Amino acid sequence: MKQNWIYSLLIVIAASSYGILSTIVKVAMQHGYTSAEAVTSQYFFGFLLALLLFILTQRTLPKVTKSGALTLLIAGICTAVTGIFYGQSLNYLPASLAVVMLFQFTWIGLFMNCFANKRLPSRIELFSLAFLLAGTILAAGIIDVDLSQIAWQGWALGLAAAFTFAAFLQINARRVEGVTMIGRTFILSVIALIVISIFLTPEIIWNGQLGTGLWKFGMALGLFGIILPILLFSIAAPKVGGALVSILSAMELPVAIIVSVIVLKESLTIIQVGGIILVLFGMVLPSYFAAKKMRTIDKKEKLT
């Protein structure tokens, strides 16, 4: 039981680290860098940090089965493509609405898990999703936003980002035999860097742009956007399961809002606070009932 809570906590920490990224990118843009440059630096330094960890702890590449290699390949591609889709959606959507679109990964991920395991969502999962979606809309502060002028590309890109992020969470919940957590993080960082380099701005790696100060933001983004989440998801997701991973990962939204208020001095309304509370309640609900069920089982076993 205690271990289940520890794994759930690791998922929450991993999701929280993702919530810091938007504020770091905004600060980088305030210093004159583009979002594409910031995202590329994230994956470059994420790769360097993963490489350093790998050299210090292993040094030899693991032997991976074909199915394991396919799992890692898809997970790495999903990691990179999510960043690309989300970044492009910001060209069409207000930041608050882009967050709401990304957070559609909660219900998409749950239904992906149900489809893969040939089951229907439980009542607790559906209740949790209802709280998460309602809380997301309130917390993002889009109640009074005019949506009539938004191009269809924004909706499509935002939904695509949600789909690929949900796919990453589900795929990364699969075990890969013969690969350590650090080895898995390193492999995913390599794949993601290759994909990002094809579609964004790889020239920052050799044109001296990193030396102008971009490296500081790249290091922070690489740590909180690559190393911590991939490593922690790799440890905890197989233990927690894909459905609960999607729900617990909703912690990204409250963290994103709170950090932006502290660092960027953005305003926070009572409605947004209420939305954050709903999101937190929706996250805790499945874990609470799972813990309650386990306690009931333990009592029955002791009686017998």
Side-chain angles (χ1 to χ4, degrees):
M1 174 55 65
K2 290 182 178 179
Q3 286 186 339
N4 289 337
W5 279 102
I6 290 173
Y7 291 128
S8 296
L9 179 60
L10 292 180
I11 296 296
V12 170
I13 294 173
S16 298
S17 67
Y18 275 133
I20 300 172
L21 301 183
S22 59
T23 296
I24 298 175
V25 171
K26 288 181 181 179
V27 174
M29 293 175 69
Q30 290 175 356
H31 284 74
Y33 303 106
T34 67
S35 60
E37 290 171 340
V39 171
T40 303
S41 71
Q42 169 188 333
Y43 286 88
F44 176 65
F45 280 100
F47 160 72
L48 291 182
L49 291 171
L51 176 62
L52 179 61
L53 282 175
F54 183 77
I55 292 174
L56 292 176
T57 59
Q58 293 185 235
R59 300 184 183 181
T60 57
L61 289 173
K63 295 181 179 179
V64 188
T65 62
K66 289 183 179 180
S67 61
L70 182 61
T71 296
L72 295 174
L73 177 63
I74 297 174
I77 292 174
C78 287
T79 301
V81 172
T82 298
I84 294 170
F85 283 146
Y86 184 69
Q88 291 299 310
S89 73
L90 291 171
N91 294 323
Y92 301 94
L93 302 175
S96 57
L97 186 54
V99 171
V100 172
M101 291 304 298
L102 178 63
F103 266 74
Q104 302 311 302
F105 78 80
T106 50
W107 64 266
I108 293 174
L110 174 60
F111 286 113
M112 278 183 177
N113 181 265
C114 291
F115 178 79
N117 292 283
K118 298 179 181 179
R119 68 179 182 88
L120 293 174
S122 67
R123 285 188 299 174
I124 298 303
E125 288 172 339
L126 293 176
F127 277 128
S128 178
L129 281 182
F131 281 110
L132 290 176
L133 294 177
T136 298
I137 293 172
L138 295 176
I142 63 168
I143 299 298
D144 299 324
V145 175
D146 181 13
L147 306 179
S148 61
Q149 302 302 317
I150 295 176
W152 67 267
Q153 292 94 331
W155 301 107
L157 288 166
L159 194 59
F163 183 87
T164 53
F165 187 55
F168 164 73
L169 294 177
Q170 299 304 310
I171 294 167
N172 207 43
R174 299 179 182 177
R175 300 176 186 273
V176 178
E177 297 297 331
V179 181
T180 65
M181 301 308 170
I182 292 178
R184 185 170 184 151
T185 303
F186 171 65
I187 294 172
L188 292 187
S189 71
V190 173
I191 297 169
L193 178 61
I194 293 172
V195 175
I196 285 291
S197 297
I198 294 172
F199 292 100
L200 293 184
T201 55
E203 64 270 14
I204 68 166
I205 298 172
W206 61 78
N207 68 3
Q209 186 79 335
L210 291 173
T212 64
L214 182 58
W215 68 270
K216 293 182 293 185
F217 301 107
M219 285 285 287
L221 290 168
L223 176 62
F224 291 108
I226 303 294
I227 301 301
L228 276 179
I230 292 180
L231 188 59
L232 295 181
F233 275 130
S234 298
I235 294 171
K239 302 290 185 179
V240 172
L244 190 54
V245 165
S246 293
I247 292 173
L248 293 174
S249 295
M251 187 65 185
E252 180 181 344
L253 177 62
V255 170
I257 294 172
I258 293 170
V259 172
S260 67
V261 169
I262 295 173
V263 177
L264 302 175
K265 310 301 180 185
E266 294 184 358
S267 61
L268 183 65
T269 66
I270 296 297
I271 292 178
Q272 286 178 295
V273 173
I276 291 173
I277 293 173
L278 285 178
V279 169
L280 295 176
F281 184 78
M283 285 173 47
V284 171
L285 197 62
S287 296
Y288 170 78
F289 278 98
K292 187 177 180 181
K293 183 178 179 180
M294 288 298 297
R295 285 195 296 269
T296 303
I297 293 174
D298 290 341
K299 287 181 181 179
K300 289 182 178 179
E301 289 179 350
K302 288 179 180 179
L303 292 175
T304 57

